Amino acid sequence: MESVMSVLSQDWLLGAVVGASLAYLAEWRSNRARRGEEQKVAAMLVASDLRLWTERTTSMIFNLKNWLTSDGQGGRRATEILDFPFEKSLDQVARLKSADAVAVFDLIHAKNAVNDEIDGLVEYGSEDDIYDVLLGRSSKLYLDAIEIYRRLADQVGWKGTPFSDKVTDAMRTEVKRVEEIERNARKENALIPKGGSPSLKNTPDHES
């Protein structure tokens, strides 16, 4: 009798363990599926916000260039890089895959750093310094943003690209133009005699 009871007890224990394991596995699969859906929705929302930001930034850059070349008769002046729409609430960014979330947060940090740099130039630099930094850095951020967009779009199965090759090439050209200006400025500063006044843009606090 005791042997029978022992066998039944063992069977019951084994059944309980198996049942609990199956329940845990089912819950784990459900949670994993839910996280996958949340990541997919987050990727869609953040990608859409990045696309909106690139459109606004493209408009800002071309309006500023028009304003500069027309002596203020056309276009529109700008003195800072626009915030990303998702900065109002970072919940969706936090739901992205880890590598994508880090890339987006790095993008926000880079944008804030540029605006801080511009604030310093407003106080101590020249207008040329301000606009060169704004145009060059915002063009670089545009290029970084579309790379993140493409990664997110690929995850959710969005085909094609909403970005014009002509605009992307113009952004690359702008980045190279400003980099060349800054390289030349650094060379000139290296030749300034002791006691001279180097351009503020190329002091340690404003190196690119």
Side-chain angles (χ1 to χ4, degrees):
M1 185 66 178
E2 289 182 0
S3 177
V4 173
M5 292 299 295
S6 177
V7 170
L8 291 176
S9 178
Q10 290 176 3
D11 288 346
W12 177 88
L13 181 60
L14 179 61
V17 170
V18 171
S21 298
L22 291 175
Y24 173 81
L25 180 61
E27 183 178 1
W28 178 81
R29 287 177 173 174
S30 176
N31 289 338
R32 184 180 182 185
R34 185 174 67 253
R35 285 196 300 272
E37 286 302 311
E38 289 177 348
Q39 284 181 342
K40 184 175 181 179
V41 171
M44 289 178 175
L45 293 171
V46 174
S48 296
D49 279 352
L50 283 171
R51 179 176 179 177
L52 177 60
W53 181 88
T54 58
E55 291 172 352
R56 291 174 175 173
T57 297
T58 299
S59 178
M60 181 272 287
I61 290 172
F62 284 100
N63 270 309
L64 177 57
K65 289 175 71 70
N66 189 18
W67 184 83
L68 291 169
T69 56
S70 69
D71 293 325
Q73 298 303 308
R76 187 165 58 251
R77 182 173 178 266
T79 56
E80 67 177 3
I81 297 178
L82 303 170
D83 287 340
F84 297 98
F86 47 69
E87 287 187 76
K88 295 177 181 177
S89 174
L90 295 171
D91 290 349
Q92 296 303 324
V93 176
R95 290 189 174 96
L96 296 173
K97 293 181 178 179
S98 296
D100 297 324
V102 168
V104 172
F105 281 119
D106 284 347
L107 195 68
I108 295 171
H109 176 75
K111 181 265 299 178
N112 290 338
V114 175
N115 282 337
D116 288 342
E117 182 182 7
I118 292 170
D119 286 343
L121 292 173
V122 168
E123 187 170 358
Y124 299 108
S126 69
E127 281 201 350
D128 286 344
D129 289 340
I130 293 169
Y131 298 132
D132 283 339
V133 167
L134 178 57
L135 289 169
R137 306 288 194 275
S138 57
S139 296
K140 177 63 169 61
L141 285 170
Y142 173 95
L143 296 173
D144 292 341
I146 66 173
E147 286 305 311
I148 298 173
Y149 171 90
R150 285 169 177 156
R151 281 164 46 182
L152 297 178
D154 184 61
Q155 291 176 25
V156 301
W158 289 352
K159 305 299 181 182
T161 174
F163 308 107
S164 161
D165 290 340
K166 184 176 180 180
V167 171
T168 302
D169 288 343
M171 297 299 180
R172 293 194 181 102
T173 299
E174 192 61 33
V175 170
K176 292 178 181 178
R177 181 188 73 83
V178 174
E179 287 177 345
E180 181 65 22
I181 289 173
E182 294 183 334
R183 275 195 299 269
N184 291 337
R186 284 193 290 271
K187 291 177 183 177
E188 291 174 6
N189 289 340
L191 298 175
I192 293 174
K194 187 176 181 179
S197 301
S199 169
L200 182 74
K201 182 168 63 179
N202 302 295
T203 57
D205 289 341
H206 294 83
E207 282 280 336
S208 61

